[in-house]
Amino acid sequence: AGFAAAIRLDAAFADAYNNLGNIRWDQERPDEARTLYLRALTINPNLPTARENLNRLTAGTAAKPPPAP
């Protein structure tokens, strides 16, 4: 709920989209995670964690991203 609330307060908060994507991936909701990572990268194309997470998800890598701080 925290990252979703952050997005409601600031729709341009790329890190919040990325972190919410991590949560969705952990919840076995990869399509939602992919959408959130892409949104983060649309806002900030230079966000390395979102790019890495999207690449791992797309590659089907079992290693999920670490939990958000």
Side-chain angles (χ1 to χ4, degrees):
F3 294 119
I7 290 167
R8 282 193 299 276
L9 292 172
D10 182 359
F13 189 9
D15 286 311
Y17 285 97
N18 179 60
N19 290 330
L20 188 55
N22 293 345
I23 291 169
R24 294 298 180 254
W25 189 2
D26 193 49
Q27 294 172 335
E28 305 295 330
R29 295 159 65 180
D31 292 336
E32 290 178 46
R34 181 177 291 105
T35 298
L36 291 160
Y37 295 144
L38 289 170
R39 179 68 179 136
L41 289 167
T42 298
I43 295 166
N44 181 357
N46 298 314
L47 186 63
T49 53
R51 173 106 24 236
E52 291 165 13
N53 292 335
L54 180 61
N55 288 342
R56 278 194 294 240
L57 179 68
T58 302
T61 304
K64 294 181 181 177

